[in-house]
Amino acid sequence: MKKHLIFASKLLCILLCGIIAGYALLLAVYALPVAPMAANVRASIPALNGEWSKEDSYEQLIPGYVTTQLDNSTDAAMLLAAVHESDLPLTTRAAENHRYHGHANAYYTLLAWEKADPATLESGPIARYWHGYLVVLKPLLLVMSYLDIRMVMMMVQSVLLAAVIAGLCRRNLSKLIAPFLLSLLCVTPSVTGFSLQFSTALYTMLTAMIGLLYLPKKWFSLHGQMIFFLLTGMLTSYVDYLTYPLVTFCVPFVVCLFAYPAVSAKDEWKRAVALGVCWVAGYLGMWAGKWILAGIFGSEQWFWPNLVATITTRTSETSGDIELSFVQVLRMVLSPFFKRAYVLAGFAAVIAYVCAWLRSRRHPALTGQFTRRVILLGVAVLPFAWFFCTQNHTYNHAFYTSRTLMASAFAAACFCMTFLRAKRGEN
């Protein structure tokens, strides 16, 4: 018991240090000059207002495919937060994260900001999120435009994806490559590279996978894995705008399941619960840390009532005047994939699996797979539990909350893969 308490104290210390470090980083970037950032954002406006292209608030790169829909409204909100100017103390700005507003859709606020004197615009805080993306976005805007950042994001995404695939081969986990690539269809990487909003959860997930695949194995005892998933949850909470955060746990966890198999079924269950609890503790603990900082350094007395109201709304079973049923929520979040291209991809995956199963029948059957299969099924179900708990948010933003299904697709594909027999010497 004493050993467990000491380790729990260590985890708490890591969480507290993360909160302090996160706030310190925000203080640093809020101290940067805003004028060069504003100039670079203004240089990008013609690409967003239709002058250079046909982009709008919710542009669909392939019309009719919701999975290719951009969220330029939230990207605009992120840019407006990055270029916001204020006379408030630095500690307050880093805690409250003000941005310009005026329209319900931040995209139109950004277009108005370009032509107006910022001093005449309305602004307000969005303190319930960390806005940790500003730690990267603000320095980038000092030297490049939003369009340049998009290109950099596509490059970084390509490098991270290549590193993950190379890492799976390096760790003798090439059997996970096909499930991983299949599950990426739910995220639509060709679109995420264009969007700040869609990139945060994806980059966190890929970075976590790279850590699991490349860091020394000696770091990943059970306690090491628990610290790793605590940090992953913390990073997700820090940078993400509540898009599809669950993938940052589920996908790396499945990789961990294969890369670091437990000795016994009992240990496998204990490990699964421990890592899940650590990720949740990191995610919610980091988020709560931001709320505490906003309460201490913020200038707005209504922060807490506003926070409670927002959480209540996002987890409610209503959308405006509509009473939602969970079936309606599921139909909405699954609807982006009710398209011929995805149906064909599904049929192709089934055919490929059947062919692989037929080829593997001459190899010896793997043993000790029951516990792993049950855990994989559990991971595949987790997104639906998430949807149930966040029905309003899931329903209203299904064009990107549907990306959470990557976790289900990856876990389900890996579950099917465990029924393939292996050559001698393979896991």
Side-chain angles (χ1 to χ4, degrees):
M1 179 62 72
K2 184 179 179 181
K3 187 191 296 185
H4 291 315
L5 288 174
I6 292 172
F7 183 67
S9 300
K10 183 177 181 180
L11 294 178
L12 179 60
C13 183
I14 292 171
L15 177 59
L16 293 175
C17 289
I19 292 169
I20 294 170
Y23 187 51
L25 287 171
L26 283 175
L27 288 170
V29 296
Y30 269 97
L32 296 173
V34 173
M37 302 180 201
N40 278 317
V41 172
R42 285 192 175 91
S44 305
I45 296 294
L48 294 171
N49 65 7
E51 185 177 330
W52 290 353
S53 67
K54 295 181 180 180
E55 280 196 41
D56 57 26
S57 179
Y58 296 108
E59 175 76 10
Q60 290 183 2
L61 299 184
I62 301 178
Y65 275 78
V66 177
T67 50
T68 70
Q69 180 171 307
L70 298 174
D71 188 357
N72 285 341
S73 175
T74 304
D75 272 23
M78 297 163 84
L79 293 171
L80 288 168
V83 300
H84 185 268
E85 297 180 81
S86 173
D87 294 328
L88 290 170
L90 183 62
T91 53
T92 301
R93 283 184 282 150
E96 289 192 333
N97 312 110
H98 288 246
R99 73 167 173 85
Y100 298 109
H101 61 79
H103 295 267
N105 188 324
Y107 171 81
Y108 296 107
T109 303
L110 181 66
L111 300 186
W113 167 85
E114 183 211 4
K115 299 175 181 178
D117 178 359
T120 65
L121 297 175
E122 297 179 33
S123 64
I126 309 180
R128 63 183 180 272
Y129 296 111
W130 267 100
H131 300 274
Y133 59 83
L134 291 173
V135 172
V136 178
L137 181 59
K138 275 178 165 286
L140 286 178
L141 285 173
L142 284 175
V143 296
M144 61 180 67
S145 70
Y146 173 63
L147 301 182
D148 296 324
I149 292 172
R150 276 182 167 180
M151 181 57 69
V152 169
M153 288 194 302
M154 287 192 286
M155 292 176 180
V156 170
Q157 179 179 283
S158 298
V159 170
L160 291 177
L161 287 170
V164 167
I165 293 171
L168 291 172
C169 295
R170 176 177 177 269
R171 293 295 301 275
N172 196 28
L173 294 172
S174 55
K175 59 190 175 184
L176 299 186
I177 293 176
F180 176 65
L181 294 178
L182 178 66
S183 67
L184 276 177
L185 295 178
C186 297
V187 173
T188 322
S190 58
V191 173
T192 54
F194 284 92
S195 175
L196 297 170
Q197 158 84 332
F198 297 158
S199 295
T200 51
L202 180 64
Y203 288 172
T204 303
M205 178 201 76
L206 294 174
T207 302
M209 294 176 73
I210 289 169
L212 287 169
L213 295 170
Y214 287 93
L215 291 176
K217 287 186 177 181
K218 63 182 180 181
W219 290 12
F220 289 100
S221 61
L222 176 58
H223 282 182
Q225 293 173 39
M226 291 172 69
I227 292 172
F228 184 85
F229 278 90
L230 177 79
L231 292 170
T232 303
M234 291 166 60
L235 180 60
T236 305
S237 182
Y238 188 65
V239 302
D240 190 51
Y241 224 144
L242 196 59
T243 53
Y244 47 105
L246 200 62
V247 300
T248 70
F249 166 71
C250 293
V251 178
F253 171 74
V254 171
V255 172
C256 187
L257 200 63
F258 286 90
Y260 300 97
V263 176
S264 65
K266 182 180 178 181
D267 289 341
E268 198 79 274
W269 281 112
K270 287 172 60 178
R271 193 260 296 269
V273 172
L275 299 189
V277 168
C278 285
W279 185 89
V280 171
Y283 186 81
L284 295 182
M286 193 73 178
W287 208 351
K290 180 55 161 59
W291 303 338
I292 292 170
L293 289 171
I296 295 172
F297 298 105
S299 60
E300 302 292 343
Q301 300 301 315
W302 50 264
F303 169 70
W304 286 104
N306 180 267
L307 172 66
V308 172
T310 302
I311 293 174
T312 302
T313 299
R314 289 310 187 192
T315 57
S316 69
E317 297 178 9
T318 61
S319 176
D321 298 328
I322 303 173
E323 288 289 334
L324 297 175
S325 69
F326 189 48
V327 173
Q328 286 176 293
V329 174
L330 285 181
R331 187 182 297 121
M332 180 63 75
V333 82
L334 291 170
S335 62
F337 304 106
F338 294 158
K339 305 293 287 186
R340 291 178 182 175
Y342 289 105
V343 173
L344 288 173
F347 275 123
V350 170
I351 291 170
Y353 173 77
V354 170
C355 292
W357 182 79
L358 291 172
R359 283 191 62 188
S360 72
R361 285 188 303 169
R362 64 179 181 274
H363 300 310
L366 296 174
T367 58
Q369 293 288 301
F370 178 77
T371 302
R372 182 179 290 182
R373 288 168 183 161
V374 174
I375 292 174
L376 287 170
L377 286 178
V379 173
V381 170
L382 274 179
F384 298 94
W386 178 273
F387 298 151
F388 182 79
C389 294
T390 59
Q391 293 192 37
N392 171 280
H393 183 261
T394 299
Y395 182 87
N396 288 334
H397 304 287
F399 72 97
Y400 65 77
T401 56
S402 58
R403 286 175 164 82
T404 311
L405 291 169
M406 177 188 182
S408 296
F410 186 54
C414 290
F415 169 82
C416 293
M417 186 200 64
T418 63
F419 289 93
L420 300 179
R421 298 187 175 191
K423 296 178 183 178
R424 296 188 184 279
E426 294 183 353
N427 305 357

